[in-house]
């Protein structure tokens, strides 16, 4: 029967329920994620019955399974539960980012129904794999936690899931369904192909002009084995359907039971059509007009019309935001907005740690929470239970934002560095609260060490000729002996106005120091601290250097902010350029979220030096280039400079043949050394082949260790860490 077939198909269809696939590892569809980051999307096709077909149909189905495992807990027993609404919307949003699907109700319903099937298959797989024995009886002992799927399942969820499956009512239902599916009368024999793609295959092979096949024809073809033989009982049902179809009208077929259901003598279930597969409904089969898939020209015309509508909506939205901003400046903050000032947190701006609770509870970043009356996020009220947070450091590069930013289409935390996001109240921890955890133990620990306090820990004598990072060793010892050994501890470093053009405070956490000690990827805090070191040790008191070299803040201008708030980035750069009266070289460590590179900008000569330690081109970063070019042109206009017509639209970009890194970690250390060498050479112009004094193919580990030593020495001398 068809229901038997669908149960059989469900057992085989999900990507993660096949033993063959499990042996090769977890299916997470990394290729789709990589293509999504490159703005590559996949086209999908739909047949006349609004079912998914085409070469990318299987890829989309597998990706849906991955998203379901990521966002839907295994303890969810009812797919229609309203509490799953936000998770379903997140799945739909992620699919739209990677696949060209119309954002309509009918498409969303189809995809989410398919996601529900994947969720049931995922739960069934876990049950069969871990909770039953070879005879499909539930085991009596406590099954071990599936560590392999820890990225999808927490230990608490696993315990709750096991309890659900051991319920006696569930066991009875499970036994009934297993018995019914164990020996289907008319077995389905097409594996994961499905009715929709089977129909597509038949139409392609026969080169038919038809856009759809009768349900009983598909039903018969789905039960033909690899040898091409048709069982007598299957042929008998097909022949009976052919006879009935001659005497029953389409309207009667729709209003009562279909031809296939009559021949099989089984009831008709509402909302589905037997023999047509997932997504086909009586409405789509009997009422929708038959049509072919649109031609490429029709698709392009539709796409152009949609793009025009989107452009108009964006203009209307921008106009509305401007009007809203102007009106808000003329009236007091509303009482509704003022409730955002939460009593749980100190009023104002405070450094904080950012946590996520799914799939595991963990620290994912650091930033500053803005708990001020009437604070809005991108001109909109904050969601209930959330506060406005600026992201400074990302500790988990794969962490998702609790609420994706629909304005800039940002879903990853690393893409929100330097920008504002909404964060749940219960996942924000003020630093004072972090210090308060275990403060009694910490005070006892510090008190016991005050007796033997030394200004600088003594390091062991080095071997002759060997390099010993004594400042790193000393600083690490200081950290272990201080309150910085506590998780979440931070230090604040004041940044004078002369450094970035505005006064600010940089946050340095234990994680930042661990990155230095372990030679791991660096965050904004470490890069800015090294800039402060360069300013204090090279430029302070040296008028020539301080007047020649300036810095651009990576917190105010980075990839995420350029996409989100390009106007504010441009205003900051122009203001920074206008502060100079002579030739200056502005050093800007540019943060891509997962890579650092250095821009050295001479705004008066309109020259940009591009130093990238992975040998990439500036054309790979069009948003960055457009921002710099536009800022220089605005700067040119504001200082009323006269430029030859041949140069009026061209800014000179020079790719410097700088040393290249040989791994995926050293980019931050390379950028710091680039800045040090440029300042040390005291030259506005950087040679295309780099400075002869520092020219090399790659920096050695010793050259990078020297930079780390300078950083650690600076921490010690500034007494940022003390016992």
């Amino acid at each position: 029967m068809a229901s038997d077939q669908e149960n059989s198909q469900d057992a085989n269809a999900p990507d993660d329920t096949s033993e063959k696939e499990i042996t090769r590892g977890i299916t997470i569809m990394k290729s789709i994620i990589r293509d999504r980051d490159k703005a590559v999307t996949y086209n999908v096709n739909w047949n006349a019955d609004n079912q998914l077909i085409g070469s990318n149909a299987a890829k989309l189905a597998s990706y849906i399974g991955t998203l379901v495992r990521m966002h839907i807990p295994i303890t969810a027993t009812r797919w229609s539960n309203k509490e799953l609404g936000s998770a379903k919307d997140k799945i739909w949003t992620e699919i739209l980012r990677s696949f060209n699907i119309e954002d309509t109700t009918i498409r969303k319903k189809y995809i989410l129904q398919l996601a529900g099937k994947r969720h049931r298959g995922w739960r069934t797989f876990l049950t069969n794999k871990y909770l039953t024995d070879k005879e499909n009886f539930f085991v009596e002992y406590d099954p071990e936690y599936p560590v392999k799927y820890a990225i999808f399942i927490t230990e608490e969820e696993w315990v709750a899931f096991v309890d659900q499956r051991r319920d006696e009512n569930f066991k009875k239902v499970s036994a009934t369904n297993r018995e019914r599916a164990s020996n289907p009368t008319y077995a389905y024999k097409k594996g994961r192909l499905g009715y929709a793609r089977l129909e597509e295959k038949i139409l392609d092979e026969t080169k038919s002009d038809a856009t759809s096949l009768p349900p009983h024809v598909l039903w018969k073809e789905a039960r033909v084995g690899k040898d091409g033989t048709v069982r007598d009982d299957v042929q008998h049902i097909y022949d009976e359907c052919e006879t009935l179809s001659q005497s029953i009208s389409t309207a009667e077929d729709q209003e009562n039971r279909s031809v296939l259901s009559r021949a099989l003598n089984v009831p008709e279930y509402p909302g589905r059509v037997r023999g047509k597969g997932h997504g086909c409904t009586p409405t789509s089969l009997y009422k929708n007009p038959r049509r072919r898939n649109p031609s490429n020209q029709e698709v392009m015309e539709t796409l152009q019309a949609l793009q025009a509508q989107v452009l108009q909506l964006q203009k209307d939205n921008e106009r509305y935001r401007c009007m809203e901003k102007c009106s808000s400046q003329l009236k007091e903050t509303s009482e509704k907005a003022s409730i955002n000032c939460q009593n749980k947190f100190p009023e104002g701006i405070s450094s904080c740690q950012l946590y996520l609770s799914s799939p595991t509870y963990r620290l994912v970043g650091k930033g500053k929470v803005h708990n001020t009356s009437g604070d809005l996020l991108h001109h909109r009220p904050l969601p209930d239970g959330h506060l406005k947070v600026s992201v400074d450091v990302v500790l988990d590069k794969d962490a998702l934002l609790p609420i994706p930013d629909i304005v800039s289409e940002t879903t990853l935390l690393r893409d929100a560095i330097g920008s504002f996001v909404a964060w749940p109240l219960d996942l924000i921890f003020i630093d004072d609260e972090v210090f308060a955890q275990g403060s009694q133990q910490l005070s006892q620990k510090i008190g016991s060490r005050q007796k033997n306090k030394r200004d600088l820990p003594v390091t062991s004598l080095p071997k002759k000729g060997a390099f010993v990072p004594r400042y790193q060793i000393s600083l690490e010892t200081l950290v272990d002996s201080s309150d910085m050994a506590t998780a979440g501890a931070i230090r604040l470093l004041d940044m004078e106005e002369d450094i970035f053009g505005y006064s600010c405070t940089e946050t340095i956490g234990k994680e930042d120091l661990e990155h230095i000690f372990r030679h791991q990827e660096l965050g904004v805090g470490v890069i800015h601290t090294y800039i402060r070191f360069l300013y204090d040790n090279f430029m302070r008191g040296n008028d020539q250097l301080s007047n020649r070299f300036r810095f651009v803040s990576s917190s105010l201008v980075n990839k995420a902010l350029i996409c989100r708030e390009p106007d504010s980035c441009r205003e900051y750069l122009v203001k920074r350029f206008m502060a100079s009266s002579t030739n200056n070289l502005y050093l800007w460590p540019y943060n891509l979220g997962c890579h650092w590179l250095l821009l050295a900008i001479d705004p008066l000569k309109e020259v940009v030096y591009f130093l990238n330690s992975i040998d990439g081109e500036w054309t790979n970063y069009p948003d960055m280039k457009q921002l710099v070019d536009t800022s220089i042109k605005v700067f040119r206009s504001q200082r009323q400079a006269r430029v030859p017509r041949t140069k009026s639209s061209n800014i000179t970009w020079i790719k410097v043949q700088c040393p290249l890194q040989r791994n995926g970690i050293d980019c931050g250390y390379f950028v710091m050394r680039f800045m040090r060498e440029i300042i040390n050479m005291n030259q506005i112009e950087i040679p295309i082949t780099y400075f002869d004094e520092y020219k090399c193919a790659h920096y050695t580990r010793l050259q990078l260790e020297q930079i780390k030593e300078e950083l650690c020495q600076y921490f010690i001398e500034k007494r940022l860490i003390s016992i």
Side-chain angles (χ1 to χ4, degrees):
M1 296 189 301
S3 59
D4 295 333
Q5 171 267 314
E6 291 186 359
N7 287 331
S8 176
Q9 184 180 6
D10 285 349
N12 296 326
D15 307 356
D16 49 337
T17 61
S18 169
E19 283 295 326
K20 180 178 180 181
E21 293 184 346
I22 289 301
T23 57
R24 73 182 184 189
I26 302 175
T27 302
I28 58 177
M29 308 299 289
K30 289 184 178 179
S31 61
I32 294 181
I33 303 301
R34 286 193 294 265
D35 287 341
R36 182 197 66 189
D37 294 340
K38 298 176 184 177
V40 175
T41 56
Y42 298 89
N43 294 323
V44 294
N45 300 320
W46 306 85
N47 63 15
D49 298 319
N50 287 318
Q51 293 174 296
L52 186 64
I53 58 174
S55 58
N56 291 321
K59 184 186 291 287
L60 174 55
S62 297
Y63 187 50
I64 291 173
T66 298
L67 293 176
V68 165
R69 294 191 290 274
M70 290 176 58
H71 298 294
I72 306 296
I74 59 173
T75 54
T77 57
R78 292 177 58 85
W79 186 251
S80 59
N81 193 328
K82 293 182 179 180
E83 294 180 357
L84 299 178
S86 60
K88 293 179 182 178
D89 290 339
K90 187 175 295 185
I91 291 174
W92 175 240
T93 301
E94 288 296 317
I95 290 173
L96 290 180
R97 293 184 63 191
S98 298
F99 291 85
N100 294 323
I101 302 177
E102 303 94 332
D103 190 4
T104 60
T105 302
I106 188 172
R107 294 287 186 255
K108 182 177 182 180
K109 180 180 179 181
Y110 178 95
I111 294 297
L112 292 183
Q113 285 179 343
L114 185 56
K117 293 181 65 176
R118 291 291 179 266
H119 184 249
R120 292 191 295 274
W122 170 230
R123 285 161 51 89
T124 300
F125 163 74
L126 293 174
T127 302
N128 296 337
K129 180 73 174 179
Y130 297 98
L131 304 184
T132 60
D133 55 22
K134 295 181 179 180
E135 287 73 32
N136 290 325
F137 292 104
F138 283 85
V139 297
E140 297 298 328
Y141 57 85
D142 291 332
E144 62 179 0
Y145 171 66
V147 179
K148 180 176 182 179
Y149 302 104
I151 61 173
F152 303 131
I153 307 171
T154 64
E155 294 186 7
E156 292 79 9
E157 289 175 346
W158 177 250
V159 172
F161 176 75
V162 172
D163 291 339
Q164 290 177 357
R165 293 302 197 183
R166 285 182 168 175
D167 181 80
E168 292 300 323
N169 292 330
F170 172 79
K171 289 183 178 181
K172 292 179 181 179
V173 174
S174 177
T176 301
N177 291 336
R178 188 183 300 111
E179 178 65 22
R180 179 169 56 88
S182 61
N183 189 25
T185 306
Y186 308 101
Y188 177 86
K189 297 185 178 182
K190 296 302 178 182
R192 299 177 58 189
L193 188 61
Y195 280 113
R197 284 185 284 166
L198 175 62
E199 182 181 66
E200 179 189 25
K201 179 181 178 182
I202 295 173
L203 292 176
D204 289 342
E205 291 177 349
T206 59
K207 298 181 180 180
S208 172
D209 292 332
T211 58
S212 180
L213 295 176
H216 66 277
V217 175
L218 278 178
W219 181 87
K220 172 190 172 183
E221 291 297 327
R223 282 148 184 83
V224 176
K226 294 182 179 180
D227 56 0
T229 59
V230 181
R231 284 172 35 184
D232 292 339
D233 54 349
V234 172
Q235 185 65 43
H236 174 72
I237 296 296
Y238 173 81
D239 293 338
E240 187 173 350
C241 288
E242 286 288 303
T243 302
L244 289 173
S245 62
Q246 302 299 322
S247 58
I248 298 178
S249 64
T250 303
E252 185 180 0
D253 189 17
Q254 175 189 352
E255 295 173 0
N256 299 293
R257 286 192 301 168
S258 67
V259 168
L260 182 58
S261 296
R262 292 169 184 265
L264 292 171
N265 194 26
V266 293
E268 191 72 76
Y269 296 99
R272 55 168 278 186
V273 177
R274 190 180 301 277
K276 293 294 285 186
H278 171 70
C280 183
T281 64
T283 301
S284 65
L285 181 64
Y286 298 110
K287 293 184 179 180
N288 284 359
R290 300 294 189 267
R291 59 180 178 85
R292 293 178 177 271
N293 290 332
S295 64
N296 291 338
Q297 182 179 356
E298 292 172 339
V299 171
M300 290 303 300
E301 291 175 353
T302 303
L303 179 61
Q304 291 174 359
L306 291 174
Q307 288 176 338
Q309 295 178 17
V310 170
L311 182 60
Q312 184 61 42
L313 289 173
Q314 289 176 340
K315 292 180 179 179
D316 294 343
N317 182 51
E318 185 65 27
R319 190 181 302 111
Y320 169 77
R321 291 175 61 185
C322 292
M323 294 173 59
E324 187 180 41
K325 182 177 181 180
C326 293
S327 62
S328 64
Q329 294 175 348
L330 298 177
K331 62 182 181 180
E332 295 180 354
T333 305
S334 65
E335 294 181 359
K336 181 178 179 180
S338 66
I339 65 174
N340 290 331
C341 186
Q342 304 291 334
N343 295 327
K344 176 183 175 182
F345 300 98
E347 187 171 355
I349 302 176
S350 306
S351 297
C352 64
Q353 276 72 48
L354 305 176
Y355 284 77
L356 287 179
S357 58
S358 178
T360 59
Y361 191 86
R362 65 203 189 281
L363 175 67
V364 296
K366 298 185 299 182
K368 297 178 179 64
V369 58
H370 295 248
N371 187 34
T372 56
S373 298
D375 211 353
L376 303 176
L377 180 65
H378 308 311
H379 310 288
R380 294 181 176 87
L382 286 164
D384 292 338
H386 291 71
L387 279 179
K388 181 178 177 180
V389 168
S390 59
V391 181
D392 298 331
V393 177
V394 173
L395 304 178
D396 185 345
K397 294 189 297 184
D398 297 325
L400 297 173
L401 289 173
I403 299 181
D405 191 336
I406 60 174
V407 177
S408 64
E409 297 184 354
T410 301
T411 59
L412 293 175
L413 180 62
R414 68 168 182 255
D415 294 334
I417 294 177
S419 58
F420 293 102
V421 298
W423 208 272
L425 291 170
D426 57 344
L427 297 177
I428 302 174
F429 291 88
I430 299 299
D431 295 329
D432 292 338
E433 295 180 7
V434 176
F435 291 143
Q437 297 176 6
S439 59
Q440 183 177 2
Q441 299 177 2
L442 182 61
S443 62
Q444 294 174 355
K445 179 180 179 181
I446 296 175
S448 63
R449 298 190 179 187
Q450 288 290 335
K451 300 178 181 179
N452 299 321
K453 180 179 178 181
R454 298 176 179 176
D455 291 337
L456 188 66
V458 179
T459 60
S460 58
L461 293 175
K463 296 180 180 180
K464 185 176 181 180
F467 171 76
V468 176
R470 62 189 186 94
Y471 285 109
Q472 293 182 53
I473 297 174
S474 299
L475 182 61
E476 189 169 7
T477 305
L478 279 173
V479 169
D480 292 338
S481 304
S482 69
D483 62 323
M484 284 293 283
T486 306
I490 65 168
R491 289 292 186 271
L492 302 179
L493 179 64
D494 293 331
M495 307 294 285
E496 302 175 19
E497 184 177 356
D498 289 341
I499 300 176
F500 293 129
Y502 68 100
S503 299
C504 60
T505 301
E506 196 61 55
T507 303
I508 304 297
K510 181 177 183 292
E511 297 80 9
D512 294 314
L513 299 177
E514 289 290 339
H515 293 165
I516 299 174
F517 301 149
R518 308 293 173 254
H519 198 83
Q520 297 173 348
E521 297 177 2
L522 301 179
V524 177
V526 175
I527 302 294
H528 281 187
T529 301
Y530 191 75
I531 288 177
R532 174 63 190 271
F533 159 77
L534 293 175
Y535 180 81
D536 286 346
N537 289 272
F538 291 87
M539 301 167 62
R540 187 187 297 277
N542 188 325
D543 293 339
Q544 185 183 33
L545 289 178
S546 60
N547 290 330
R548 178 165 291 178
F549 298 102
R550 304 287 176 91
F551 298 99
V552 174
S553 172
S554 300
S555 297
L556 289 190
V557 192
N558 52 57
K559 179 183 177 182
L561 277 177
I562 290 175
C563 297
R564 186 195 305 273
E565 301 176 11
D567 293 341
S568 63
C569 294
R570 184 182 64 251
E571 291 173 3
Y572 169 69
L573 283 180
V574 173
K575 182 179 179 181
R576 198 79 183 102
F577 295 160
M578 291 296 294
S580 61
S581 57
T582 59
N583 277 89
N584 293 112
L585 194 65
Y586 287 82
L587 303 179
W588 174 18
Y590 182 64
N591 187 1
L592 293 168
C594 57
H595 176 62
W596 288 97
L597 57 85
L598 180 67
L599 296 180
I601 306 173
D602 185 345
L604 286 177
K605 293 183 178 179
E606 300 188 354
V607 176
V608 182
Y609 298 97
F610 181 79
L611 293 86
N612 190 356
S613 58
I614 60 172
D615 197 27
E617 302 290 339
W618 64 73
T619 53
N620 296 334
Y621 316 106
D623 295 334
M624 173 198 71
K625 185 178 186 303
Q626 182 181 4
L627 173 69
V628 174
D629 289 350
T630 304
S631 300
I632 292 178
K633 291 177 183 178
V634 174
F635 169 65
R636 176 203 302 165
S637 174
Q638 291 191 5
R639 66 187 181 90
Q640 299 179 349
R642 294 183 179 180
V643 179
R645 292 183 179 179
T646 57
K647 186 178 172 62
S648 60
S649 60
N650 295 323
I651 310 298
T652 302
W653 282 71
I654 298 175
K655 179 183 176 182
V656 179
Q657 298 173 16
C658 57
L660 302 179
Q661 65 188 79
R662 289 178 286 190
N663 55 38
I665 298 174
D666 289 342
C667 55
Y669 303 98
F670 272 60
V671 165
M672 292 190 294
R673 190 166 182 92
F674 291 158
M675 292 190 293
R676 191 191 195 287
E677 291 173 349
I678 291 171
I679 295 175
N680 196 47
M681 292 304 299
N682 194 12
Q683 293 181 206
I684 293 293
E685 297 182 359
I686 303 176
I688 296 180
T689 58
Y690 205 51
F691 303 110
D692 291 338
E693 291 80 355
Y694 301 111
K695 187 182 299 184
C696 60
H698 315 281
Y699 286 138
T700 64
R701 182 61 181 266
L702 177 59
Q703 288 175 301
L704 301 184
E705 289 294 332
Q706 291 171 350
I707 299 296
K708 294 164 61 176
E709 278 290 274
E710 289 179 334
L711 259 176
C712 294
Q713 182 181 1
Y714 185 70
F715 275 109
I716 294 173
E717 291 179 349
K718 293 292 290 186
R719 296 191 178 275
L720 292 174
I721 311 297
S722 58
I723 300 178

